[in-house]
Amino acid sequence: MAVDKAGRVHLVAAAALLHPEQQMVEEMLEGWRNQQLCRNLQFATIDQRIRYVRRFLDHVNEFPWHWTPGMVEEYFADLRSVRRLSHATVRGQQSALRHFTSYICCPDYGWDRVCEQLFGIHPAQVFFDWNTAAHAQEYEARPAKRPFTRRELQRLFDHADDEVQRIAASGRKGWAPAYRDSVMLKVAYSYGLRFNELRHLQTVDFATNPHARRFGTFGMCKVRYGKARRGSPPKPRSVLTVFAWTPEILQAWLANGRGSPGTLELFPSERGGLVHESTLLRRLRRYCAELELPEGLDLHSLRRSYATHLLEDGWDPMFVQHQMGHEHPSTTGIYQFVSSDYRNATLKAALDRTLAQAAGTREGTE
């Protein structure tokens, strides 16, 4: 049995299989991997999908050509009721498994014929619209997720700075990573960056904005690893600097904390590579716990806060859309968490205008 680079299987009659069932599964996964590589999907996406298939295999303890819709429903009922997975996570796993079964059931690849010859049965599609979750809306984050308020954000940044000073004064190691993470949190908010965009920043990604020279060489940030569309490379964009304090933060970091002169990475890890998301997330969670901030705050809350605060301050929604790298205005609208103070101020202004118009009408009548 052999699988070509396009994911098609060929049964070699002269080759005897020692464990045909297990060998067939591995060849199916290898062929599916080849198919996804041809679709130009990211390696991380492919590897994650294959892990989902292996988890399902371990749970049902049956080979793919014996899968049934009942197994699907039992597995995902367990994930929802016991592990309490989010809607988006469940839908992602179902989508991956559905793609896999579609691949092994497609007659163009020949898995049905090979399974029929070896096991007397062929694989069938067991993931349908009536037993999988639908992608019904664009926004699928948990309702508890929210942006930082301005006061929470200031407390977080102050606490991060205090932690750097505390570790440095104690004479212990760890002040440099704490300083790096403090700057990363501030830069993530300053430009409304996703974590993957943040971790890939380099010192050469900043440039002068000729229309805002007061920011010096940090007038704009070139994001090279923006969120990619399906099967496409990362989408780059330029984000203009809007906060007066951002260049000072970056200048101080480059002069005093970055180290690693042999690399262009803006935020190198202790071993010279890129910072992992879990590293920064653990520190953020610890800081939020120490400050006793309410739940619902994570790394992406910094990006939510950026969009929310700009819109509150009266920036044009189209400008915010381009800064965030959104293709459609409706996507930016998802991030528009307008605070109660702003809504109340808007309401008060509208009421004041109404009262002024009413008073003017009465004066004109008299």
Side-chain angles (χ1 to χ4, degrees), residues 351-366:
L351 292 175
D352 289 344
R353 289 195 300 270
T354 302
L355 292 174
Q357 291 173 359
T361 302
R362 286 198 300 270
E363 291 176 359
T365 303
E366 295 174 356

Side-chain angles (χ1 to χ4, degrees), residues 307-357:
T308 301
H309 296 166
L310 288 186
L311 291 166
E312 285 182 349
D313 290 341
W315 290 81
D316 187 274
M318 181 65 72
F319 174 82
V320 179
Q321 176 187 339
H322 288 302
Q323 292 281 95
M324 299 285 283
H326 292 153
E327 187 173 354
H328 305 289
S330 58
T331 308
T332 307
I334 294 173
Y335 290 81
Q336 192 170 352
F337 296 86
V338 182
S339 67
S340 298
D341 293 340
Y342 180 75
R343 294 171 63 187
N344 291 333
T346 303
L347 176 61
K348 183 178 182 301
L351 292 175
D352 289 344
R353 289 195 300 270
T354 302
L355 292 174
Q357 291 173 359

Side-chain angles (χ1 to χ4, degrees), residues 85-115:
L85 296 186
S86 68
H87 293 77
T89 302
V90 168
R91 184 179 55 79
Q93 293 198 29
Q94 291 175 347
S95 176
L97 288 163
R98 188 171 186 171
H99 284 309
F100 173 71
T101 50
S102 295
Y103 162 69
I104 62 176
C105 294
C106 180
D108 294 337
Y109 293 104
W111 295 107
D112 54 345
R113 296 188 296 274
V114 173
C115 288

Side-chain angles (χ1 to χ4, degrees), residues 190-208:
S190 293
Y191 295 102
L193 302 179
R194 304 176 181 91
F195 177 76
N196 194 53
E197 298 170 348
L198 175 67
R199 72 194 292 255
H200 280 98
L201 286 181
Q202 294 185 341
T203 57
V204 295
D205 289 334
F206 296 91
T208 301

